[in-house]
Amino acid sequence: MAATWSHEPHKVLKFRPGDRVADIDTDSSPGFSGDRADAETVLAERTERYAELQEMLYANGKSGRDQRSVLLVLQGMDTAGKGGIVKHVVGAGNPMGLRYTGFGVPTEEERSHHYLWRIRKALPPGGHIGVFDRSHYEEVLVVRVHNLVPPDVWEQRYDEINAFERELVDAGTTVVKVAMFVSLDEQKRRLAERLERPDKYWKYNPGDIDERKLWPAYQEAYQAVLDRTSTDYAPWFVVPCDKKWYNRLAVTELLIWALKGLEMTWPPADFDVQAEQKKLAAS
Ligand code: AMP
Ligand code: MG
C-alpha cells in the first residue's frame, strides 16, 4: 500500500492559537508519511476525487437546487506556489465551475472604492469554486509592511475581514484559507530559476528582490493575520511549501474535505428517465 496520510490535513495543518510563523518548518510534510513518489501516486487518485466533487457542486448549482460555493484563498510570498495550486490542483476541475481571480496592485478605479469592493465582485457564484490568488489579506500584509495606509487604518481591518467572512459563510460559502510558506533560501532558488529560464521571465518582477529585505516584517504581518483572522467559521491552514508535491497534495485534500462537508448528491433527473429512454429508442 502506498504510504499515505497519518493525520488528516484539515486537522494537522489548521492554525492553532499560539502557533508561531517563525517555527514553521517550510521543508516538512506534516501528516504525510510518504515521499515524493508516493505523493505522485496519491495525488493522481485524489485529483480525480476532487474533480468529481467539484463537478457535483457545479451540477447542483446549475440545477438550481443548491447555491452554495467554495472559496479558496491563497496567500503566500512570491514563489510560494500559489500559481502552481491554481494550475495543477484547482485547474484539474471542470473550468465551467471555476472562478479564478489574481489580485495585484489596485487599479485607480479599485482604489476609489472600499478595499472589499473588488473582492466582492470576484466572489464565486453558486455552484462554483472561487480561487483567490492573493486576496483581501494583502490589505493587512503588503499594505501594513509598506505603510500604504496609517496603522490605525489597517488595524481595524482584521475585525472587518472577520465580519466579511462571517457574512460569506452565512450566505453558504465555505471559505478555505491557505497560508503558504517557503523559506528565504528556497525563494532565492526559485527566483534564480526564473532568471535562468526565458519561459519563466513572465513571473519575475525586479521588485521581488526588494521584498526579500522585508522578510521579517512580512513574517510579523503573517503572524498577525493568523492570530487575528483564524476563526472557527473560516480557519487558516498553514502549509509548508518548500516541497511542491506536498503543498499540492495538501491543498487537494483540503478542497476534498471542504466539498465533502457539503454532503452533496448528484441532482436527480427532473424528467422521466424511462419515458425518455423509450422516446430515444423510438427516434
Ligand atoms: P503577483 O501575485 O506576483 O502577480 O504580484 C502582485 C503584486 O500586487 C504583489 O506584489 C502584491 O503584494 C501586490 N498587491 C496585491 N494587492 C495589493 C494591495 N491591496 N495593495 C498593494 N499591493 C497589492
Ligand atoms: Mg510575483
Side-chain angles (χ1 to χ4, degrees):
M1 201 185 85
T4 181
W5 294 94
S6 57
H7 296 84
E8 294 173 282
H10 70 271
K11 290 186 183 153
V12 77
L13 297 174
K14 189 169 165 178
F15 175 79
R16 284 176 189 73
D19 286 351
R20 308 297 308 165
V21 167
D23 295 339
I24 299 169
D25 178 358
T26 55
D27 195 38
S28 64
S29 44
F32 190 75
S33 41
D35 58 16
R36 183 197 184 113
D38 299 317
E40 277 166 13
T41 310
V42 176
L43 185 60
E45 181 200 315
R46 298 302 279 166
T47 296
E48 270 186 48
R49 179 71 179 134
Y50 153 72
E52 181 188 25
L53 288 165
Q54 182 258 331
E55 193 161 77
M56 198 182 279
L57 179 71
Y58 182 67
N60 279 299
K62 195 158 191 318
S63 75
R65 75 203 279 250
D66 189 345
Q67 289 307 309
R68 289 178 298 173
S69 59
V70 172
L71 176 63
L72 176 67
V73 173
L74 301 173
Q75 276 297 156
M77 299 295 286
D78 264 298
T79 77
K82 303 183 292 295
I85 293 293
V86 174
K87 183 173 169 183
H88 299 283
V89 176
V90 188
N94 186 334
M96 283 192 292
L98 300 177
R99 174 119 199 247
Y100 166 81
T101 312
F103 292 98
V105 178
T107 61
E108 204 176 316
E109 187 190 19
E110 287 168 346
R111 268 204 314 274
S112 73
H113 293 273
H114 185 274
Y115 68 91
L116 290 175
W117 180 76
R118 66 175 183 164
I119 304 294
R120 288 185 188 277
K121 281 207 307 176
L123 290 171
H128 286 63
I129 294 188
V131 50
F132 283 0
D133 177 345
R134 303 186 189 270
S135 66
H136 41 299
Y137 285 99
E138 291 291 322
E139 301 293 336
V140 284
L141 290 166
V142 66
V143 168
R144 168 176 165 155
V145 168
H146 285 273
N147 301 306
L148 301 180
V149 299
D152 60 313
V153 174
W154 55 254
E155 181 61 39
Q156 47 94 25
R157 289 182 175 172
Y158 299 95
D159 290 344
E160 195 170 29
I161 287 171
N162 288 336
F164 169 63
E165 292 179 354
R166 175 83 255 182
E167 193 190 308
L168 297 186
V169 171
D170 288 346
T173 300
T174 302
V175 180
V176 180
K177 303 191 292 195
V178 174
M180 304 176 67
F181 290 95
V182 273
S183 67
L184 195 55
D185 281 349
E186 181 61 22
Q187 189 193 53
K188 193 172 200 170
R189 275 190 287 278
R190 292 182 184 180
L191 289 174
E193 193 184 340
R194 288 182 181 181
L195 287 170
E196 277 155 19
R197 289 180 47 178
D199 64 320
K200 299 231 174 186
Y201 292 166
W202 66 277
K203 295 189 190 183
Y204 188 83
N205 178 343
D208 295 347
I209 311 274
D210 302 320
E211 295 298 271
R212 288 174 57 76
K213 297 190 193 103
L214 296 167
W215 199 264
Y218 272 105
Q219 296 270 99
E220 207 179 300
Y222 269 96
Q223 184 72 53
V225 161
L226 297 174
D227 289 340
R228 299 180 65 176
T229 65
S230 204
T231 55
D232 55 347
Y233 51 90
W236 275 103
F237 296 97
V238 172
V239 181
C241 288
D242 285 4
K243 291 181 168 72
K244 288 182 186 173
W245 60 260
Y246 176 77
N247 73 59
R248 292 175 189 174
L249 197 59
V251 177
T252 301
E253 289 301 331
L254 292 174
L255 285 174
I256 290 173
W257 167 74
L259 288 162
K260 272 172 61 184
L262 300 180
E263 300 184 337
M264 299 177 288
T265 53
W266 289 104
D270 56 3
F271 45 83
D272 182 335
V273 177
Q274 280 173 352
E276 293 302 309
Q277 283 171 334
K278 277 192 197 129
K279 264 165 51 191
L280 177 64
S283 68

